[in-house]
Amino acid sequence: MRKYLLIGVSAFVLGAGTMAYLSPIAQANIPPKTKTYKLLELFGDVLGTVEDQYVTEVDDKKLIEAALDGMLTSLDPHSGYLSPDSFEDMQDTTRGEYGGLGIEVTSEEGVVKVISPMDGTPASRAGIQAGDYITAVNGQSVLGLTVSEAVKQMRGAPGEAVNLTIAREKTDPFDVKLIREVIKPKAAIARMEGDFGYVRLPGFNEKATDALVSSINDLKAKNPKMKGLVLDMRNNPGGLLDQAVGVADVFLDGGEVVSQRGRDPRNIQRYNARPGDLLNGLPVVVLINQGSASAAEIVAGALQDRKRAELVGLTSFGKGSVQTVIPLRGGADGALKLTTAKYFTPSGRSIQKTGIAPDLEVAQTRDQAQDIANRVWFSEASFKNALNADEGKTRIGAHTPAEAPPTAFDDKKGDFQLQRALAVLQAGSVAATPKMPKPAAKIAEVTAKAAAMGKPVVEKK
């Protein structure tokens, strides 16, 4: 069964021996399959040498699993090999209940990096942020480990303490103590904000669509004069493709949600919404940010392209690929998580690396606005082996965002992006919404202008 998921110095010492040299011409004449068999024979030779001569005894199973994962992760950041235990953990995650800390992570050049903490989990309460590096678990370095190996160290019995060592830009490494919990991510969180409904969708597990429908129906029943809805998908790392289609279907009255295209460009699979809009045309604003990825981007892109919603916040993560989980021997030998297609929004956009830009760009805090102006934010484009973006397209670089909280706004207590989303609903559109004063010029702008004019630049430390 297949399930679609959205989501030192080395020294080489040559001992005495005989080596055979095969000329490039001879190599070119070897049939491709024969070359593959020779390389597999080479793998066996290397494994045998490690077994016989490595300084300590080795675990063959661990070595081969690491080799399989290394082969797949060399393709792109989202492919990989799942051991039987990791495959079981992944199934628990998509079902929406498991033991751990509540962090969505990936690997970047052998370092574990946080994509986003999950709402209401130990990681979220401890202040772990998207873009943080996890360098050690309980004092043991996780540098060089696969994501599956690192995650295995972080998961365990509920109630146990876990110490994470965090590396974050502009700060010294620091330790965070967390207590493991049974992670039961809320599929949806709903409330009223004045005349408008608000639904927070933290992920796309198997319960996402049903939870969204239930939340909206509950809001409508209790508030028959509800005038519109904010769908909050900030820091939503994605999940299952079928749930992305289901969530978009809630708002769309038929038509295309997303298409996916594999190796053969002629092989296009389209996913369509069914007739019927649960909100009967009430206006919708979607909140996104740099932590909105994969399935969240499919929904945001579909609603934006189909003119069903306007987007407020920051440019999304930019993960435009689909992974297929392929169990091996029914899962007894684990599974492959393999990138098999790229997805495209209804207008034919690929957001790979570039992300989805909001209709109204709003920084959540003044500090965040400063960060966006001074550096490129962590995204899919940060991975060296990420799939290429569409030809000629690049992700927006460091810049001053269009809006940020004014000085009088308490951005530690208030939610400025949500406030602006509600303002858009109140005004009827982004175009009709009174704009905030543009933030003052930031260092990145001043530096660029000075460089363009040939003036010396003094960086502030």
Short mmCIF file of all heavy atoms in Angstrom, two decimals, residues 185-243:
data_model
loop_
_atom_site.label_atom_id
_atom_site.label_comp_id
_atom_site.label_asym_id
_atom_site.label_seq_id
_atom_site.Cartn_x
_atom_site.Cartn_y
_atom_site.Cartn_z
N PRO A 185 -1.63 16.14 18.79
CA PRO A 185 -1.85 17.45 18.18
C PRO A 185 -3.33 17.68 17.92
O PRO A 185 -4.02 16.83 17.38
CB PRO A 185 -1.08 17.36 16.85
CG PRO A 185 -0.12 16.22 17.03
CD PRO A 185 -0.79 15.27 17.95
N LYS A 186 -3.80 18.83 18.33
CA LYS A 186 -5.19 19.17 18.07
C LYS A 186 -5.35 19.35 16.57
O LYS A 186 -4.61 20.10 15.94
CB LYS A 186 -5.58 20.44 18.82
CG LYS A 186 -5.61 20.26 20.33
CD LYS A 186 -6.07 21.52 21.03
CE LYS A 186 -6.11 21.31 22.55
NZ LYS A 186 -6.54 22.54 23.27
N ALA A 187 -6.31 18.66 16.01
CA ALA A 187 -6.50 18.72 14.56
C ALA A 187 -7.01 20.10 14.14
O ALA A 187 -6.75 20.55 13.03
CB ALA A 187 -7.46 17.63 14.10
N ALA A 188 -7.72 20.79 15.03
CA ALA A 188 -8.21 22.14 14.73
C ALA A 188 -8.59 22.83 16.04
O ALA A 188 -9.01 22.19 17.00
CB ALA A 188 -9.41 22.10 13.79
N ILE A 189 -8.40 24.14 16.06
CA ILE A 189 -8.75 24.96 17.21
C ILE A 189 -9.63 26.09 16.69
O ILE A 189 -9.24 26.81 15.76
CB ILE A 189 -7.50 25.53 17.90
CG1 ILE A 189 -6.57 24.40 18.34
CG2 ILE A 189 -7.86 26.41 19.08
CD1 ILE A 189 -5.16 24.83 18.63
N ALA A 190 -10.81 26.28 17.28
CA ALA A 190 -11.76 27.25 16.74
C ALA A 190 -12.28 28.18 17.83
O ALA A 190 -12.42 27.79 18.99
CB ALA A 190 -12.92 26.53 16.06
N ARG A 191 -12.57 29.42 17.41
CA ARG A 191 -13.18 30.41 18.30
C ARG A 191 -13.71 31.56 17.44
O ARG A 191 -13.45 31.62 16.23
CB ARG A 191 -12.16 30.94 19.31
CG ARG A 191 -11.00 31.70 18.70
CD ARG A 191 -10.10 32.29 19.77
NE ARG A 191 -9.03 33.12 19.22
CZ ARG A 191 -7.81 32.70 18.93
NH1 ARG A 191 -7.50 31.43 19.14
NH2 ARG A 191 -6.91 33.54 18.43
N MET A 192 -14.42 32.47 18.06
CA MET A 192 -14.87 33.68 17.37
C MET A 192 -13.95 34.84 17.71
O MET A 192 -13.45 34.95 18.84
CB MET A 192 -16.30 34.02 17.77
CG MET A 192 -17.36 33.08 17.22
SD MET A 192 -17.45 33.06 15.40
CE MET A 192 -18.09 34.72 15.07
N GLU A 193 -13.70 35.67 16.73
CA GLU A 193 -12.97 36.92 16.90
C GLU A 193 -13.92 38.03 16.45
O GLU A 193 -13.94 38.40 15.28
CB GLU A 193 -11.69 36.93 16.08
CG GLU A 193 -10.63 35.96 16.54
CD GLU A 193 -9.86 36.49 17.75
OE1 GLU A 193 -10.01 37.69 18.06
OE2 GLU A 193 -9.12 35.70 18.38
N GLY A 194 -14.74 38.52 17.39
CA GLY A 194 -15.75 39.49 17.03
C GLY A 194 -16.79 38.85 16.13
O GLY A 194 -17.39 37.83 16.48
N ASP A 195 -16.99 39.44 14.94
CA ASP A 195 -17.99 38.90 14.00
C ASP A 195 -17.43 37.80 13.11
O ASP A 195 -18.15 37.27 12.26
CB ASP A 195 -18.51 40.03 13.10
CG ASP A 195 -19.33 41.05 13.86
OD1 ASP A 195 -19.95 40.67 14.88
OD2 ASP A 195 -19.35 42.23 13.45
N PHE A 196 -16.17 37.47 13.28
CA PHE A 196 -15.51 36.54 12.36
C PHE A 196 -15.05 35.26 13.08
O PHE A 196 -14.60 35.30 14.23
CB PHE A 196 -14.31 37.21 11.70
CG PHE A 196 -14.67 38.48 10.96
CD1 PHE A 196 -14.41 39.72 11.50
CD2 PHE A 196 -15.32 38.41 9.73
CE1 PHE A 196 -14.75 40.89 10.84
CE2 PHE A 196 -15.67 39.56 9.05
CZ PHE A 196 -15.39 40.81 9.60
N GLY A 197 -15.18 34.16 12.36
CA GLY A 197 -14.69 32.90 12.90
C GLY A 197 -13.19 32.79 12.73
O GLY A 197 -12.59 33.41 11.83
N TYR A 198 -12.58 31.99 13.58
CA TYR A 198 -11.14 31.74 13.52
C TYR A 198 -10.91 30.25 13.72
O TYR A 198 -11.41 29.67 14.69
CB TYR A 198 -10.40 32.53 14.60
CG TYR A 198 -8.95 32.12 14.81
CD1 TYR A 198 -7.92 32.73 14.10
CD2 TYR A 198 -8.61 31.11 15.72
CE1 TYR A 198 -6.60 32.36 14.29
CE2 TYR A 198 -7.30 30.73 15.91
CZ TYR A 198 -6.30 31.35 15.20
OH TYR A 198 -4.99 30.97 15.38
N VAL A 199 -10.19 29.62 12.78
CA VAL A 199 -9.85 28.21 12.93
C VAL A 199 -8.35 28.06 12.72
O VAL A 199 -7.80 28.49 11.70
CB VAL A 199 -10.59 27.32 11.91
CG1 VAL A 199 -10.14 25.86 12.07
CG2 VAL A 199 -12.10 27.41 12.10
N ARG A 200 -7.69 27.49 13.71
CA ARG A 200 -6.26 27.20 13.64
C ARG A 200 -6.07 25.74 13.23
O ARG A 200 -6.62 24.83 13.86
CB ARG A 200 -5.62 27.44 15.00
CG ARG A 200 -4.25 26.83 15.21
CD ARG A 200 -3.17 27.61 14.56
NE ARG A 200 -1.87 26.97 14.75
CZ ARG A 200 -0.88 27.02 13.87
NH1 ARG A 200 -1.03 27.68 12.74
NH2 ARG A 200 0.26 26.43 14.13
N LEU A 201 -5.35 25.53 12.13
CA LEU A 201 -5.08 24.18 11.64
C LEU A 201 -3.58 23.93 11.79
O LEU A 201 -2.77 24.41 11.00
CB LEU A 201 -5.50 24.06 10.17
CG LEU A 201 -5.70 22.66 9.60
CD1 LEU A 201 -6.83 21.94 10.32
CD2 LEU A 201 -5.99 22.74 8.11
N PRO A 202 -3.15 23.18 12.82
CA PRO A 202 -1.72 23.02 13.09
C PRO A 202 -1.01 21.99 12.22
O PRO A 202 0.22 21.99 12.15
CB PRO A 202 -1.66 22.60 14.56
CG PRO A 202 -3.04 22.25 14.97
CD PRO A 202 -3.99 22.60 13.86
N GLY A 203 -1.74 21.08 11.57
CA GLY A 203 -1.10 20.04 10.76
C GLY A 203 -2.12 19.34 9.88
O GLY A 203 -3.32 19.66 9.92
N PHE A 204 -1.64 18.38 9.12
CA PHE A 204 -2.51 17.65 8.20
C PHE A 204 -2.40 16.15 8.46
O PHE A 204 -1.95 15.39 7.62
CB PHE A 204 -2.14 17.97 6.75
CG PHE A 204 -2.61 19.33 6.29
CD1 PHE A 204 -1.87 20.46 6.57
CD2 PHE A 204 -3.81 19.47 5.61
CE1 PHE A 204 -2.29 21.71 6.17
CE2 PHE A 204 -4.25 20.72 5.20
CZ PHE A 204 -3.49 21.85 5.49
N ASN A 205 -2.81 15.74 9.68
CA ASN A 205 -2.88 14.31 9.94
C ASN A 205 -4.22 13.78 9.44
O ASN A 205 -4.99 14.50 8.78
CB ASN A 205 -2.66 14.01 11.44
CG ASN A 205 -3.71 14.67 12.33
OD1 ASN A 205 -4.87 14.82 11.95
ND2 ASN A 205 -3.30 15.09 13.52
N GLU A 206 -4.52 12.54 9.74
CA GLU A 206 -5.71 11.90 9.19
C GLU A 206 -7.03 12.52 9.67
O GLU A 206 -8.08 12.25 9.12
CB GLU A 206 -5.69 10.41 9.54
CG GLU A 206 -4.57 9.63 8.84
CD GLU A 206 -4.50 8.18 9.27
OE1 GLU A 206 -5.25 7.80 10.20
OE2 GLU A 206 -3.69 7.43 8.69
N LYS A 207 -6.95 13.36 10.71
CA LYS A 207 -8.17 13.94 11.29
C LYS A 207 -8.41 15.37 10.82
O LYS A 207 -9.41 15.99 11.21
CB LYS A 207 -8.07 13.91 12.81
CG LYS A 207 -7.81 12.53 13.39
CD LYS A 207 -7.54 12.59 14.88
CE LYS A 207 -7.19 11.21 15.45
NZ LYS A 207 -6.85 11.28 16.89
N ALA A 208 -7.52 15.93 10.02
CA ALA A 208 -7.55 17.37 9.73
C ALA A 208 -8.86 17.82 9.08
O ALA A 208 -9.50 18.77 9.56
CB ALA A 208 -6.36 17.75 8.86
N THR A 209 -9.26 17.19 8.00
CA THR A 209 -10.46 17.64 7.27
C THR A 209 -11.71 17.51 8.13
O THR A 209 -12.52 18.45 8.21
CB THR A 209 -10.63 16.85 5.96
OG1 THR A 209 -9.47 17.00 5.16
CG2 THR A 209 -11.84 17.34 5.20
N ASP A 210 -11.88 16.38 8.78
CA ASP A 210 -13.07 16.18 9.62
C ASP A 210 -13.11 17.20 10.75
O ASP A 210 -14.18 17.72 11.09
CB ASP A 210 -13.07 14.76 10.20
CG ASP A 210 -13.37 13.70 9.15
OD1 ASP A 210 -13.87 14.06 8.07
OD2 ASP A 210 -13.09 12.51 9.41
N ALA A 211 -11.93 17.48 11.34
CA ALA A 211 -11.88 18.45 12.44
C ALA A 211 -12.21 19.85 11.95
O ALA A 211 -12.90 20.62 12.65
CB ALA A 211 -10.49 18.44 13.08
N LEU A 212 -11.76 20.22 10.75
CA LEU A 212 -12.07 21.53 10.20
C LEU A 212 -13.56 21.66 9.93
O LEU A 212 -14.18 22.68 10.29
CB LEU A 212 -11.28 21.75 8.91
CG LEU A 212 -11.56 23.05 8.16
CD1 LEU A 212 -11.15 24.26 8.99
CD2 LEU A 212 -10.85 23.07 6.81
N VAL A 213 -14.15 20.65 9.30
CA VAL A 213 -15.60 20.68 9.02
C VAL A 213 -16.40 20.80 10.31
O VAL A 213 -17.33 21.61 10.41
CB VAL A 213 -16.01 19.42 8.24
CG1 VAL A 213 -17.53 19.31 8.14
CG2 VAL A 213 -15.39 19.42 6.84
N SER A 214 -16.01 20.02 11.31
CA SER A 214 -16.71 20.06 12.59
C SER A 214 -16.59 21.43 13.24
O SER A 214 -17.56 21.97 13.79
CB SER A 214 -16.15 18.97 13.52
OG SER A 214 -16.74 19.04 14.80
N SER A 215 -15.39 22.04 13.16
CA SER A 215 -15.16 23.35 13.77
C SER A 215 -16.00 24.42 13.10
O SER A 215 -16.61 25.27 13.76
CB SER A 215 -13.68 23.71 13.69
OG SER A 215 -12.89 22.82 14.45
N ILE A 216 -16.03 24.40 11.76
CA ILE A 216 -16.80 25.42 11.03
C ILE A 216 -18.29 25.25 11.28
O ILE A 216 -19.01 26.24 11.50
CB ILE A 216 -16.47 25.35 9.53
CG1 ILE A 216 -15.03 25.82 9.28
CG2 ILE A 216 -17.45 26.21 8.73
CD1 ILE A 216 -14.58 25.71 7.84
N ASN A 217 -18.76 24.02 11.27
CA ASN A 217 -20.19 23.79 11.53
C ASN A 217 -20.57 24.26 12.93
O ASN A 217 -21.65 24.82 13.15
CB ASN A 217 -20.52 22.31 11.35
CG ASN A 217 -20.65 21.92 9.89
OD1 ASN A 217 -20.98 22.74 9.04
ND2 ASN A 217 -20.38 20.66 9.59
N ASP A 218 -19.68 24.04 13.89
CA ASP A 218 -19.95 24.46 15.26
C ASP A 218 -19.99 25.99 15.35
O ASP A 218 -20.88 26.56 16.01
CB ASP A 218 -18.87 23.90 16.19
CG ASP A 218 -19.19 24.15 17.66
OD1 ASP A 218 -20.29 23.78 18.10
OD2 ASP A 218 -18.33 24.73 18.36
N LEU A 219 -19.04 26.66 14.68
CA LEU A 219 -19.03 28.12 14.68
C LEU A 219 -20.30 28.67 14.04
O LEU A 219 -20.91 29.63 14.55
CB LEU A 219 -17.80 28.64 13.93
CG LEU A 219 -16.44 28.48 14.62
CD1 LEU A 219 -15.32 28.91 13.68
CD2 LEU A 219 -16.38 29.31 15.91
N LYS A 220 -20.71 28.09 12.93
CA LYS A 220 -21.91 28.56 12.22
C LYS A 220 -23.17 28.36 13.07
O LYS A 220 -24.06 29.22 13.11
CB LYS A 220 -22.05 27.84 10.89
CG LYS A 220 -21.04 28.27 9.83
CD LYS A 220 -21.03 27.32 8.65
CE LYS A 220 -22.37 27.19 7.98
NZ LYS A 220 -22.33 26.25 6.83
N ALA A 221 -23.23 27.21 13.74
CA ALA A 221 -24.42 26.91 14.55
C ALA A 221 -24.56 27.88 15.72
O ALA A 221 -25.66 28.32 16.05
CB ALA A 221 -24.35 25.47 15.05
N LYS A 222 -23.44 28.20 16.33
CA LYS A 222 -23.47 29.09 17.50
C LYS A 222 -23.47 30.56 17.12
O LYS A 222 -23.81 31.43 17.95
CB LYS A 222 -22.27 28.79 18.40
CG LYS A 222 -22.31 27.41 19.03
CD LYS A 222 -21.07 27.15 19.87
CE LYS A 222 -21.12 25.75 20.50
NZ LYS A 222 -19.88 25.44 21.26
N ASN A 223 -23.05 30.84 15.87
CA ASN A 223 -22.94 32.24 15.43
C ASN A 223 -23.51 32.36 14.02
O ASN A 223 -22.77 32.51 13.05
CB ASN A 223 -21.48 32.70 15.44
CG ASN A 223 -20.79 32.46 16.77
OD1 ASN A 223 -20.90 33.28 17.68
ND2 ASN A 223 -20.11 31.33 16.89
N PRO A 224 -24.84 32.30 13.91
CA PRO A 224 -25.46 32.29 12.57
C PRO A 224 -25.19 33.56 11.76
O PRO A 224 -25.35 33.55 10.54
CB PRO A 224 -26.96 32.14 12.87
CG PRO A 224 -27.11 32.53 14.30
CD PRO A 224 -25.84 32.18 14.98
N LYS A 225 -24.75 34.64 12.40
CA LYS A 225 -24.45 35.88 11.69
C LYS A 225 -22.94 36.06 11.45
O LYS A 225 -22.50 37.16 11.17
CB LYS A 225 -25.01 37.07 12.47
CG LYS A 225 -26.53 37.08 12.55
CD LYS A 225 -27.05 38.33 13.23
CE LYS A 225 -28.57 38.33 13.28
NZ LYS A 225 -29.11 39.56 13.94
N MET A 226 -22.21 34.98 11.56
CA MET A 226 -20.77 35.04 11.31
C MET A 226 -20.52 35.61 9.90
O MET A 226 -21.14 35.18 8.93
CB MET A 226 -20.16 33.63 11.42
CG MET A 226 -18.65 33.60 11.30
SD MET A 226 -17.97 31.94 11.64
CE MET A 226 -18.43 31.06 10.14
N LYS A 227 -19.58 36.58 9.81
CA LYS A 227 -19.39 37.33 8.56
C LYS A 227 -18.20 36.85 7.72
O LYS A 227 -18.02 37.31 6.59
CB LYS A 227 -19.21 38.81 8.88
CG LYS A 227 -20.43 39.46 9.49
CD LYS A 227 -20.19 40.93 9.76
CE LYS A 227 -21.42 41.60 10.34
NZ LYS A 227 -21.18 43.04 10.62
N GLY A 228 -17.40 35.97 8.25
CA GLY A 228 -16.23 35.49 7.51
C GLY A 228 -15.36 34.62 8.39
O GLY A 228 -15.72 34.35 9.55
N LEU A 229 -14.21 34.18 7.87
CA LEU A 229 -13.38 33.23 8.60
C LEU A 229 -11.90 33.50 8.34
O LEU A 229 -11.49 33.79 7.21
CB LEU A 229 -13.70 31.80 8.16
CG LEU A 229 -12.95 30.69 8.89
CD1 LEU A 229 -13.62 30.40 10.23
CD2 LEU A 229 -12.88 29.42 8.05
N VAL A 230 -11.11 33.37 9.39
CA VAL A 230 -9.65 33.34 9.28
C VAL A 230 -9.20 31.89 9.44
O VAL A 230 -9.53 31.24 10.44
CB VAL A 230 -8.97 34.21 10.36
CG1 VAL A 230 -7.45 34.02 10.31
CG2 VAL A 230 -9.33 35.67 10.19
N LEU A 231 -8.49 31.36 8.44
CA LEU A 231 -7.89 30.04 8.53
C LEU A 231 -6.41 30.23 8.81
O LEU A 231 -5.66 30.75 7.98
CB LEU A 231 -8.08 29.27 7.22
CG LEU A 231 -7.40 27.89 7.14
CD1 LEU A 231 -7.99 26.93 8.18
CD2 LEU A 231 -7.54 27.30 5.74
N ASP A 232 -5.97 29.82 9.98
CA ASP A 232 -4.60 30.05 10.44
C ASP A 232 -3.76 28.79 10.19
O ASP A 232 -3.95 27.76 10.84
CB ASP A 232 -4.61 30.39 11.93
CG ASP A 232 -3.23 30.81 12.45
OD1 ASP A 232 -2.24 30.68 11.70
OD2 ASP A 232 -3.16 31.24 13.61
N MET A 233 -2.84 28.87 9.24
CA MET A 233 -1.93 27.76 8.95
C MET A 233 -0.47 28.17 9.16
O MET A 233 0.44 27.60 8.56
CB MET A 233 -2.14 27.25 7.52
CG MET A 233 -3.50 26.65 7.28
SD MET A 233 -3.61 25.74 5.72
CE MET A 233 -3.33 27.05 4.53
N ARG A 234 -0.22 29.11 10.05
CA ARG A 234 1.15 29.48 10.37
C ARG A 234 1.85 28.33 11.09
O ARG A 234 1.26 27.66 11.92
CB ARG A 234 1.16 30.74 11.24
CG ARG A 234 0.73 32.01 10.51
CD ARG A 234 0.60 33.19 11.47
NE ARG A 234 -0.50 33.00 12.42
CZ ARG A 234 -0.84 33.89 13.36
NH1 ARG A 234 -0.17 35.04 13.44
NH2 ARG A 234 -1.84 33.65 14.19
N ASN A 235 3.11 28.12 10.73
CA ASN A 235 3.92 27.04 11.33
C ASN A 235 3.27 25.68 11.17
O ASN A 235 3.48 24.78 12.00
CB ASN A 235 4.21 27.32 12.81
CG ASN A 235 5.09 28.53 13.00
OD1 ASN A 235 6.01 28.76 12.22
ND2 ASN A 235 4.80 29.32 14.02
N ASN A 236 2.49 25.51 10.11
CA ASN A 236 1.89 24.22 9.82
C ASN A 236 2.84 23.49 8.86
O ASN A 236 2.99 23.89 7.71
CB ASN A 236 0.52 24.43 9.16
CG ASN A 236 -0.20 23.13 8.84
OD1 ASN A 236 0.41 22.17 8.39
ND2 ASN A 236 -1.50 23.11 9.03
N PRO A 237 3.49 22.40 9.33
CA PRO A 237 4.52 21.76 8.51
C PRO A 237 4.00 20.83 7.43
O PRO A 237 4.78 20.25 6.67
CB PRO A 237 5.33 20.97 9.54
CG PRO A 237 4.32 20.61 10.58
CD PRO A 237 3.38 21.78 10.66
N GLY A 238 2.67 20.68 7.33
CA GLY A 238 2.12 19.83 6.27
C GLY A 238 1.69 18.48 6.79
O GLY A 238 1.38 18.30 7.97
N GLY A 239 1.69 17.48 5.89
CA GLY A 239 1.24 16.14 6.25
C GLY A 239 0.73 15.40 5.04
O GLY A 239 1.42 15.32 4.02
N LEU A 240 -0.49 14.93 5.11
CA LEU A 240 -1.02 14.05 4.08
C LEU A 240 -1.65 14.83 2.92
O LEU A 240 -2.41 15.79 3.13
CB LEU A 240 -2.07 13.12 4.68
CG LEU A 240 -1.56 12.18 5.78
CD1 LEU A 240 -2.72 11.45 6.44
CD2 LEU A 240 -0.56 11.19 5.22
N LEU A 241 -1.35 14.40 1.72
CA LEU A 241 -1.86 15.06 0.52
C LEU A 241 -3.38 14.99 0.45
O LEU A 241 -4.05 15.98 0.10
CB LEU A 241 -1.24 14.44 -0.73
CG LEU A 241 -1.74 14.94 -2.08
CD1 LEU A 241 -1.52 16.44 -2.22
CD2 LEU A 241 -1.05 14.20 -3.22
N ASP A 242 -3.96 13.84 0.77
CA ASP A 242 -5.41 13.73 0.67
C ASP A 242 -6.11 14.68 1.64
O ASP A 242 -7.21 15.17 1.36
CB ASP A 242 -5.88 12.28 0.87
CG ASP A 242 -5.60 11.73 2.26
OD1 ASP A 242 -4.74 12.30 2.96
OD2 ASP A 242 -6.22 10.73 2.64
N GLN A 243 -5.46 14.97 2.77
CA GLN A 243 -6.04 15.91 3.71
C GLN A 243 -5.93 17.35 3.21
O GLN A 243 -6.80 18.17 3.46
CB GLN A 243 -5.38 15.77 5.08
CG GLN A 243 -5.66 14.46 5.77
CD GLN A 243 -7.14 14.25 6.04
OE1 GLN A 243 -7.80 15.09 6.63
NE2 GLN A 243 -7.67 13.10 5.61
#
